[in-house]
Amino acid sequence: MRSLWNDEEAQRCATPLELRAYTSRLLGHSDDLVLHGGGNTSVKDKVRDLFGDTQRILYVKGSGHDLKSIGTGGFSPTRLDHLERLAELPALSDLDMMRELKCALIDPQAPAPSVEAILHAVIPYRYVDHTHADAVVTVSNTPSGEDRIRELYGDDVLVLPYVMPGFVLARQVHEATRAIDWSRCRGIVLLHHGVFTFADDAKDSYERMIELVSAAEDYIAAHVDDAPPMPALQELSPLEFARLRKEVGTALGAAVVGRFVAHDFAAIQQLEACSRRGPVTPDHVLHTKRIPMLATGRHREDVAGFAVEYSGYFSRHRREGLACLDPAPRWVVHPHRGVSAFAINGKRLQICMDIVVHTVDAIARAERMGGWKALPERDIFDLEYWELEQAKLKSPQKPGEFEGRVAVITGAASGIGRAAARLFVAQGACVMGIDIDPGVADIATSPLYHGVVADLADTAAVRHAFDTAVLHFGGVDILFSNAGIFPVGHRLEESSDDEWMRSMAINLDSHFKVLREAIPYLREGFEPVVVFNASKNAIAPGPGVGLYSVAKAGLTQLARVAALELAGDGIRVNVLHPDAVFDTGIWTDDVLKSRADKYGLSVEAYKRRNLLATEIGSDDVARAALALASRSFGKSTGMQVTVDGGNERTV
């Protein structure tokens, strides 16, 4: 691990808080140090209040903020005097602690302080850095982990046993450090948890963290046995993965998204034993549960068995007043294939999958150092059923309608497809965009979006795109079959064979191929629905656009047959008929002027040549597609809906 400190960037920081945010982002840059909101940092400073009095303030990372992107607004300004007095209390429940931390804020609009705020307060240095460094925790998660950590760091790093985060941990550190010589202490290692470094200088605290973590990385490299040769991994059937996703969602009681990653961990010796000993650090249990499910290919039995096992785990450790969480697995080991993760939305899926990959890498390294030994399950249970987490259950946020659902959108690189992809993502759906244009990869940077380049006229390419979609997001629930082209306008006798075949290939055949590949996955989907994007020309053709009109009419008939055939599987199929969507690629300035001239109208008048005298845009069609995919039309199939402002020929 190397330092990312840059003198020029640091010098642009005008205040200690700006410098604190800068070095926090340096820590957040490495997933090996902190993952998705893990870790916390702080800086102590003085401010003047409205009365001119000076107050000592601890700026500590606010709850819900991520070190990777944190700015000064992500820190909670709390009264240091109040925190120091809290540290002297003999006991304090975590709910009371959080109330006191909020009372200590000098800005009621600031985020809630980290649960480690009191711990940061008792460390007598200006800057404090805390990470869950993979390398440090990996060394501690071995049978002789504490001895190894002491061997690694010697006497100038304080090593403490694991205790729960929050007030208990703050009291432990406070008591353990009352008599130490802080000048000889380079850091604090909390076994099975992480590491703290500190200094009065931001650079010193940050680089001390890099130094301690690098030492752990070097220690692992020097003490691991050579990795045994791994057998070749086997492929996982995308359809089988979609079926597993459906079972997991059923056990959880909601739609879920999933992701599979081929990983050598799935081929290590004693896979079942070492994968089910517990997480890297207890914090991860909130995303992954304590252990994974081991897949045998019997999905219903596997998920049901995991649920029974989880219920037993809860029964062994339950306390009065606790409500059992759902018993569905959050990650799965597929022997000789890889690992997968499941979550209620795309953001949580990314978090869970990242944690899983870091977990299996850490387990594999620890196994080569003598074995993987996580905390006892009681300690993991106490974190999973922490009163602060249970409090959240009393006011659960209802997921959005499209969270946990997967949409495949063709022709997503531009126009209507692009607008639809962004709209579905904004509504919480995971979206796989497919287009022949490489720009499909750049539609959105959200973890809820993934783009695949494919020629939809190529059956093999379509199949590969769906395989990719299912292994990346778990399945297919919504198909917006949108891709299309607008051929050069010719009367029928002027049209060539190639022009006819190209229009049919894209505007009709590709939709058939996409639907054919989607059907098996839609049968395993949550509230499955297909929306075809046809055209006003399917029901009201015009001269000179026969190639387009015939293809779109065929597409409409394809949708009608699909609605009849798929209704028994609960799959709804509906059709959109937009007209004159002028912000798409086919409507160049020259084409617009040519069409307007044909009707003796100005371009602006031509754009509004409909009953409502309104202009139609890609966003309008995208919203219609979203509506048809929603529960608002949950009892409707076989519909044809115009999006054209009203056309005398279709009314």
Side-chain angles (χ1 to χ4, degrees), residues 44-122:
K44 300 176 180 75
D45 203 0
K46 294 179 180 179
V47 300
R48 287 189 180 275
D49 61 23
L50 282 174
F51 306 104
D53 297 329
T54 299
Q55 294 195 50
R56 297 164 61 233
I57 300 298
L58 175 78
Y59 292 94
V60 65
K61 191 196 87 165
S63 177
H65 286 265
D66 195 322
L67 294 184
K68 181 174 289 188
S69 58
I70 196 168
T72 56
F75 289 87
S76 305
T78 54
R79 296 178 179 85
L80 186 54
D81 292 343
H82 191 78
L83 300 182
E84 290 173 340
R85 292 188 67 186
L86 291 175
E88 298 294 338
L89 294 174
L92 185 67
S93 76
D94 285 317
L95 289 177
D96 288 341
M97 178 192 70
M98 292 308 299
R99 185 184 64 247
E100 290 297 322
L101 293 183
K102 290 180 181 179
C103 290
L105 283 169
I106 64 170
D107 180 0
Q109 302 302 316
S114 163
V115 296
E116 310 290 15
I118 299 175
L119 194 160
H120 283 256
V122 302

Side-chain angles (χ1 to χ4, degrees), residues 25 31 43 79-80 117 143 167 171 196 273 281 309 323-324 376 396 403-404 410 465 492 535 561 570 593-594 626 635:
R25 291 192 296 272
D31 289 342
V43 61
R79 296 178 179 85
L80 186 54
F167 184 75
R171 281 291 298 175
F196 279 84
T281 181
E309 185 178 14
C324 186
E403 286 191 71
T410 65
L492 294 177
S535 168
V561 173
K593 188 174 187 311
S594 171
L626 185 78
K635 303 298 175 70

Side-chain angles (χ1 to χ4, degrees), residues 303-436:
V303 174
F306 184 91
V308 169
E309 185 178 14
Y310 185 84
S311 296
Y313 157 75
F314 177 77
S315 296
R316 287 193 295 275
H317 305 293
R318 68 182 303 170
R319 300 185 300 276
E320 186 177 352
L322 290 183
C324 186
L325 302 174
D326 74 84
R330 292 301 188 271
W331 72 288
V332 177
V333 176
H334 305 260
H336 308 294
R337 289 174 171 81
V339 294
S340 63
F342 296 94
I344 61 171
N345 58 43
K347 182 178 180 181
R348 290 194 181 186
L349 176 65
Q350 184 69 59
I351 293 171
C352 188
M353 192 75 250
D354 287 346
I355 290 174
V356 167
V357 171
H358 280 256
T359 297
V360 297
D361 286 344
I363 292 174
R365 289 195 299 269
E367 281 293 297
R368 292 163 56 197
M369 291 173 60
W372 175 256
K373 184 179 180 181
L375 284 166
E377 71 172 29
R378 177 66 200 221
D379 291 312
I380 306 300
F381 179 90
D382 287 343
L383 196 290
E384 184 175 5
Y385 284 85
W386 195 6
E387 62 178 338
L388 296 182
E389 296 302 320
Q390 287 284 299
K392 295 177 183 177
L393 296 178
K394 296 177 181 177
S395 56
Q397 292 186 343
K398 186 177 180 180
E401 178 179 348
F402 290 94
E403 286 191 71
R405 298 177 71 194
V406 182
V408 170
I409 298 176
T410 65
S414 61
I416 294 168
R418 184 185 187 93
R422 290 178 168 174
L423 180 59
F424 275 85
V425 165
Q427 293 297 313
C430 286
V431 174
M432 176 67 72
I434 306 176
D435 203 297
I436 199 170

Side-chain angles (χ1 to χ4, degrees), residues 257-535:
V257 286
R259 182 164 302 154
F260 170 80
V261 174
H263 199 290
D264 285 342
F265 175 79
I268 67 172
Q269 296 179 359
Q270 298 181 322
L271 174 64
E272 180 175 3
C274 68
S275 67
R276 291 166 59 81
R277 292 176 190 152
V280 173
T281 181
D283 303 66
H284 291 171
V285 73
L286 301 176
H287 298 288
T288 64
K289 294 196 180 290
R290 189 179 73 86
I291 56 176
M293 185 188 87
L294 196 70
T296 69
R298 298 184 296 273
H299 309 314
R300 184 164 298 176
E301 292 88 342
D302 288 345
V303 174
F306 184 91
V308 169
E309 185 178 14
Y310 185 84
S311 296
Y313 157 75
F314 177 77
S315 296
R316 287 193 295 275
H317 305 293
R318 68 182 303 170
R319 300 185 300 276
E320 186 177 352
L322 290 183
C324 186
L325 302 174
D326 74 84
R330 292 301 188 271
W331 72 288
V332 177
V333 176
H334 305 260
H336 308 294
R337 289 174 171 81
V339 294
S340 63
F342 296 94
I344 61 171
N345 58 43
K347 182 178 180 181
R348 290 194 181 186
L349 176 65
Q350 184 69 59
I351 293 171
C352 188
M353 192 75 250
D354 287 346
I355 290 174
V356 167
V357 171
H358 280 256
T359 297
V360 297
D361 286 344
I363 292 174
R365 289 195 299 269
E367 281 293 297
R368 292 163 56 197
M369 291 173 60
W372 175 256
K373 184 179 180 181
L375 284 166
E377 71 172 29
R378 177 66 200 221
D379 291 312
I380 306 300
F381 179 90
D382 287 343
L383 196 290
E384 184 175 5
Y385 284 85
W386 195 6
E387 62 178 338
L388 296 182
E389 296 302 320
Q390 287 284 299
K392 295 177 183 177
L393 296 178
K394 296 177 181 177
S395 56
Q397 292 186 343
K398 186 177 180 180
E401 178 179 348
F402 290 94
E403 286 191 71
R405 298 177 71 194
V406 182
V408 170
I409 298 176
T410 65
S414 61
I416 294 168
R418 184 185 187 93
R422 290 178 168 174
L423 180 59
F424 275 85
V425 165
Q427 293 297 313
C430 286
V431 174
M432 176 67 72
I434 306 176
D435 203 297
I436 199 170
D437 183 347
V440 71
D442 304 322
I443 301 306
T445 57
S446 167
L448 281 65
Y449 179 80
H450 189 69
V452 173
V453 178
D455 181 354
L456 296 175
D458 183 336
T459 298
V462 172
R463 182 168 298 131
H464 175 73
F466 273 91
D467 289 351
T468 301
V470 172
L471 294 179
H472 192 79
F473 284 134
V476 180
D477 309 304
I478 301 165
L479 171 62
F480 182 31
S481 195
N482 161 76
I485 59 171
F486 193 80
V488 175
H490 289 313
R491 299 182 73 86
L492 294 177
E493 72 271 19
E494 299 168 344
S495 300
S496 68
D497 289 354
D498 287 344
E499 289 171 334
W500 172 269
M501 295 302 294
R502 184 163 185 263
S503 179
M504 291 299 164
I506 302 302
N507 293 325
L508 177 56
D509 297 354
S510 74
H511 292 266
F512 162 70
K513 294 175 182 179
V514 165
L515 177 64
R516 182 177 59 189
E517 294 303 320
I519 287 172
Y521 299 116
L522 289 165
R523 288 194 176 112
E524 306 300 331
F526 295 97
E527 302 177 70
V529 59
V530 178
V531 179
F532 284 107
N533 193 23
S535 168

Side-chain angles (χ1 to χ4, degrees), residues 223-234:
H223 289 80
V224 295
D225 296 332
D226 292 337
M230 292 289 183
L233 294 174
Q234 302 168 14

